[in-house]
Amino acid sequence: MASRDHGPDGRGAPGPETTHRTAEQAAVPEAARRRPEDPPIRNPGQYSLTDHVRERLAQGGRYVTLDGIDAAIRGGQLRWNSSDGWRFARVEAGVRLVVVVCDTETASPVVVTAWTEIADIGAAQRSERWDRTDVETIRLRSTLSERSDEHVPEHIRPRDVPRPFYVRGHELVTEPGDGHLRCVDCHGRFRSKGELDRADCSR
């Protein structure tokens, strides 16, 4: 996460170039012979990116960058998770970037998905790396993902997120005291990720 996912105006621009490392460029013949229990390789240049990851690189408020993915693969903590396999995780200034990879079920190693979460709220709030909106956005996005089928107004109400962040086609903001998220494009109001899943943005 060496570079913020803000552009020159500080407002959620895409991260570094997202079109490199195609499957053809990253093909590793020995990957097909690896077993699921074998630890994944730590050479980020050999991983291709799924379309899902490329989309996340371009979405404001996710704080996922190629630099961050590369650093996590090179030196992050490696853990096996029963739901999605091998994960690399690296903490920077109180925020953890989690990178899920696969290199045994595909023709070449791939980065399957990546996300950010708060590892140390005090460190994140004190850091110059993140501003207040960054921290609030990461906390709110984590709550929405962890409790996607629940209405969570009590978790939305304390958050102050004036800079829009992207979820399911909507650009969302919220103010302290509001128990809902508001889309700046379609003006819809949402209290859960499930509601966002079911509502197309009408912009």
Side-chain angles (χ1 to χ4, degrees), residues 11-30:
R11 294 297 182 267
E17 174 61 46
T18 65
T19 58
H20 79 304
R21 295 196 301 199
T22 63
E24 291 77 18
Q25 292 168 330
V28 181
E30 62 269 21

Side-chain angles (χ1 to χ4, degrees), residues 51-117:
D51 290 342
H52 172 74
V53 173
R54 288 194 179 93
E55 289 173 0
R56 292 201 163 190
L57 289 169
Q59 292 170 357
R62 287 205 178 270
Y63 310 100
V64 174
T65 66
L66 283 176
D67 288 346
I69 290 172
D70 288 358
I73 292 172
R74 285 195 189 98
Q77 186 180 51
L78 180 61
R79 287 284 187 271
W80 172 264
N81 181 274
S82 59
S83 63
D84 52 23
W86 287 108
R87 295 178 174 185
F88 293 105
R90 179 174 179 269
V91 177
E92 180 182 347
V95 173
R96 180 184 296 108
L97 173 65
V98 181
V99 179
V100 177
V101 301
C102 177
D103 67 349
T104 60
E105 298 178 5
T106 54
S108 67
V110 296
V111 177
V112 177
T113 190
W115 67 86
T116 48
E117 59 193 28

Side-chain angles (χ1 to χ4, degrees), residues 117-132:
E117 59 193 28
I118 299 295
D120 182 331
I121 186 63
Q125 290 174 332
R126 292 190 301 270
S127 172
E128 295 182 359
R129 170 69 176 84
W130 314 106
D131 65 25
R132 178 177 176 177

Side-chain angles (χ1 to χ4, degrees), residues 140-154:
L140 183 52
R141 187 187 288 282
S142 293
T143 298
L144 291 171
S145 294
E146 291 165 4
R147 304 174 64 175
S148 60
D149 293 326
E150 300 178 39
H151 288 173
V152 289
E154 71 279 11

